[in-house]
Amino acid sequence: MNAADVEKARFEAQRTIDAGKTLASRRALGQFATPPGLAAEIAAETAPFLSWSRGTAPVSMLEPSAGTGAFVSAFLSHPEIRVESVEAVECDPAFHDAGKRLWRGFPCRYRLADFTRLAPDRLHDLVVANPPYVRHHG
């Protein structure tokens, strides 16, 4: 399966998991997925910087709040970016399990953990994230 096929399955998995959660629980955890178009746009805007700094060398990527992998999908499928490896970290078991299943067979390792309490496996060339956003009112 190629990244485009996985993206279709990823989007469906995202919708299914989101539908099984209340809006209040998603708000409490700041769980709002990056739209695929925005992830693709960020990959496209990032590509020239990777080429400038690394030439055509493959990059190692960290996604500290991976969800089902919107950024994983965007970067793995971008024609000008050669991803050597992805470390995807997700603290929600439902999203972790879906991402791990979806990206099996790709250079992507999913970890079930809270990225704020975790040291990465290694140094990475690129960190890309849509971190959880929770509004606090006083």
Side-chain angles (χ1 to χ4, degrees):
M1 197 181 306
N2 64 32
D5 292 334
V6 174
E7 175 55 23
K8 291 175 189 170
R10 188 202 67 76
F11 189 74
E12 195 55 43
Q14 180 74 47
R15 287 187 343 156
T16 301
I17 295 168
D18 284 346
K21 297 178 178 283
T22 66
L23 182 57
S25 72
R26 289 177 57 222
R27 281 187 178 149
L29 295 174
Q31 290 182 319
F32 296 95
T34 304
L38 178 58
E41 196 173 316
I42 290 170
E45 291 293 322
T46 304
F49 295 101
L50 294 174
S51 297
W52 172 78
S53 66
R54 298 190 49 83
T56 58
V59 297
S60 170
M61 179 177 137
L62 169 65
E63 214 297 39
S65 50
T68 58
F71 285 120
V72 175
S73 178
F75 279 78
L76 284 174
S77 62
H78 194 281
E80 296 173 30
I81 301 173
R82 288 185 42 219
V83 176
E84 173 184 68
S85 66
V86 178
E87 182 180 356
V89 180
E90 178 53 50
C91 66
D92 184 307
F95 288 114
H96 167 270
D97 294 350
K100 187 174 183 176
R101 183 181 66 253
L102 287 162
W103 296 107
R104 181 181 46 237
F106 287 84
C108 182
R109 176 174 177 245
Y110 258 77
R111 297 175 72 184
L112 181 61
D114 177 346
F115 75 87
T116 65
R117 293 180 169 85
L118 182 70
D121 280 351
R122 59 182 266 200
L123 294 178
H124 297 279
D125 304 307
L126 174 68
V127 177
V128 61
N130 178 4
Y133 174 75
V134 180
R135 234 182 250 183
H136 297 280
H137 299 282

